[in-house]
Amino acid sequence: MDKFNYNASAELYPSRRYAKSQQAKYRRFGSAADAIRYAVEEMPGKWLVGTILEVNERRYEGEAIRALYDSADYPLERQALAA
């Protein structure tokens, strides 16, 4: 498996379930790391289910996004999240 490129540009497609919310809209990011940070730290946790991150024509959904955030390779400082 190829190593994930956290520096590649990324697109985030939030779950359609929450599409009516102002916060739940399509966004482009200069880096996948920023998109992942936004998905995990800024969006409500329940929204991760159904959210899609697209990086270099590959798609990552829900728990895969969370795994990228939790990876030792994640390059940004993590915010302390409430349990």
Side-chain angles (χ1 to χ4, degrees):
M1 186 169 146
D2 296 330
K3 186 170 177 146
F4 185 81
N5 183 356
Y6 286 95
N7 294 315
S9 62
E11 297 174 278
L12 189 66
Y13 301 88
S15 173
R16 291 183 188 187
R17 179 180 221 179
Y18 304 104
K20 292 183 181 180
S21 170
Q22 182 67 12
Q23 191 177 9
K25 62 182 180 179
Y26 164 83
R27 294 177 188 251
R28 283 189 186 195
F29 293 85
S31 75
D34 287 331
I36 294 165
R37 183 209 52 79
Y38 178 81
V40 174
E41 295 180 5
E42 302 293 327
M43 290 175 34
K46 65 183 179 182
W47 289 14
L48 202 52
V49 174
T51 293
I52 297 172
L53 172 72
E54 187 168 322
V55 180
N56 294 329
E57 299 182 10
R58 292 193 68 191
R59 290 182 169 217
Y60 304 85
E61 187 175 341
E63 289 303 312
I65 297 170
R66 182 64 202 216
L68 290 168
Y69 179 82
D70 291 338
S71 170
D73 293 332
Y74 181 74
L76 303 179
E77 187 173 324
R78 291 173 186 84
Q79 173 182 333
L81 300 174

